[in-house]
Amino acid sequence: MIEERLRLYSQHLERGTVRRRHDTYAHTNPDRPSSGRFIIPGVTPDDDAGLTFEEAKGRYDVAWVPARQSTASRRISQKGRGSVRGSLVDYARWIVLTFESMLEYYLANMLMADPNCRRVEDQPPAVKYFLGKPMEHYFDFRSTSTSFFRIAYNVKPAEFLERDRTLQKIDAIAAANIPRFADQALIVTENEITREKGMNAVDINDARKERNQADCDQVHERLLKLGQPIQIWQLQDMIGDLSMVWNALLCLLFDRKIRIQSPGMRFSDERLIVAA
């Protein structure tokens, strides 16, 4: 850890961006609530992000509502000792999603950070299948795309696939439940759900939670004027507001208005970006 900090300090020295450490962190200024949402009861759809502060200002028909509870068909298991368990909020649809491992946490964030994903369901209802005897199985997630293509995800560490006969189970489940339950059933492991992709998705979703459209428009306009790739730190230095630029870039990446170099690698201020 110390070596990494020294490397980063040397890098900042070389490019002339060593800045005074602040006692407090700078945060972006969201244009709508970052916890819950403003809605017009009976009018605002469930999958709508809600009204901005400006849109809600001075109105008497607006209500603030918290995130909806998870629709999981079963409770999180408490019997294991080696997994992380918890819940998070799908900020686009304002509903709680549960997870039972870091792989599930990363996958939930990756699905939330996919602009083609219309809906994410955690622990959808059990499916029945036959493998020597009648059995039932709970998928970890089911996603619905903007074209209404549904994918059921079974999250499993690669080392357990053979032990748990996962491939045979999924084949039997697919034979009995596709396309009624979902259009496709996938097994996903740490090979598909890498830590880099998962943490990048977490960053994108955190940025969307704190989204400010005026900031996004300003950063996008600057990139359009540049018309060529630029490193994130250079753009931050040019505009002068590090956290605002970082947050806006991640929102613009979700909007597909920018492209980022090596998206499978961990995001950093060294990455090249360009307007799409």
Side-chain angles (χ1 to χ4, degrees):
M1 182 63 71
I2 294 176
E3 290 81 358
E4 176 64 13
R5 288 203 296 266
L6 286 172
R7 185 190 71 80
L8 290 173
Y9 179 72
S10 299
Q11 181 185 76
H12 287 301
L13 276 177
E14 183 178 347
R15 68 192 190 193
T17 56
V18 176
R19 301 178 177 90
R20 182 177 64 85
R21 180 177 177 178
H22 296 281
D23 294 332
T24 58
Y25 288 99
H27 297 279
T28 55
N29 184 29
D31 57 10
R32 68 184 72 230
S34 54
S35 174
R37 61 185 183 133
F38 288 134
I39 69 164
I40 301 175
V43 176
T44 306
D46 287 342
D47 59 354
D48 189 274
L51 281 67
T52 64
F53 288 114
E54 190 63 31
E55 291 169 338
K57 185 177 181 180
R59 297 186 61 157
Y60 293 95
D61 58 343
V62 172
W64 177 88
V65 294
R68 291 174 290 132
Q69 288 299 308
S70 166
T71 58
S73 59
R74 68 181 181 95
R75 289 189 173 187
I76 296 176
S77 171
Q78 301 295 319
K79 63 181 180 181
R81 295 183 179 179
S83 296
V84 175
R85 292 163 171 78
S87 59
L88 70 159
V89 175
D90 182 344
Y91 303 120
R93 289 155 283 269
W94 288 107
I95 187 169
V96 173
L97 302 176
T98 58
F99 57 88
E100 298 182 79
S101 68
M102 283 306 297
L103 284 180
E104 288 187 20
Y105 172 73
Y106 286 150
L107 178 61
N109 274 281
M110 288 165 65
L111 293 173
M112 288 160 51
D114 181 0
N116 283 327
C117 186
R118 178 186 179 92
R119 184 185 184 194
V120 183
E121 299 168 81
D122 57 325
Q123 301 291 335
V127 293
K128 299 185 183 299
Y129 67 102
F130 187 85
L131 189 62
K133 61 179 180 179
M135 305 179 76
E136 69 174 21
H137 177 78
Y138 289 90
F139 279 94
D140 298 300
F141 295 101
R142 180 170 60 182
S143 69
T144 304
S145 72
T146 51
S147 60
F148 297 96
F149 189 85
R150 296 172 303 159
I151 301 177
Y153 296 90
N154 191 73
V155 181
K156 180 83 67 173
E159 63 179 312
F160 297 146
L161 294 181
E162 185 174 353
R163 183 201 70 179
D164 296 343
R165 301 176 65 195
T166 306
L167 296 176
Q168 295 93 320
K169 289 179 181 178
I170 293 299
D171 286 343
I173 291 169
N177 295 278
I178 301 296
R180 180 175 52 84
F181 177 78
D183 298 291
Q184 186 178 16
L186 292 180
I187 302 169
V188 284
T189 70
E190 66 274 15
N191 297 319
E192 294 78 31
I193 311 170
T194 65
R195 184 180 184 279
E196 290 75 16
K197 291 178 181 178
M199 288 304 300
N200 286 349
V202 171
D203 284 348
I204 291 171
N205 293 325
D206 284 346
R208 292 169 60 213
K209 176 183 175 182
E210 305 293 336
R211 185 186 184 105
N212 185 299
Q213 190 58 46
D215 294 342
C216 294
D217 293 341
Q218 178 187 346
V219 172
H220 189 230
E221 184 179 354
R222 181 63 66 93
L223 285 172
L224 288 172
K225 287 181 178 178
L226 286 171
Q228 60 184 10
I230 185 175
Q231 287 182 303
I232 293 177
W233 73 265
Q234 292 176 313
L235 186 66
Q236 289 175 317
D237 214 41
M238 188 182 299
I239 294 178
D241 191 327
L242 279 67
S243 55
M244 181 276 277
V245 172
W246 179 261
N247 206 75
L249 285 174
L250 293 176
C251 290
L252 291 170
L253 180 64
F254 177 82
D255 296 341
R256 296 183 173 176
K257 290 185 176 180
I258 67 167
R259 294 194 301 271
I260 190 167
Q261 174 200 43
S262 306
M265 297 175 62
R266 187 73 179 97
F267 291 156
S268 76
D269 66 357
E270 294 179 318
R271 293 282 173 263
L272 283 171
I273 51 169
V274 66

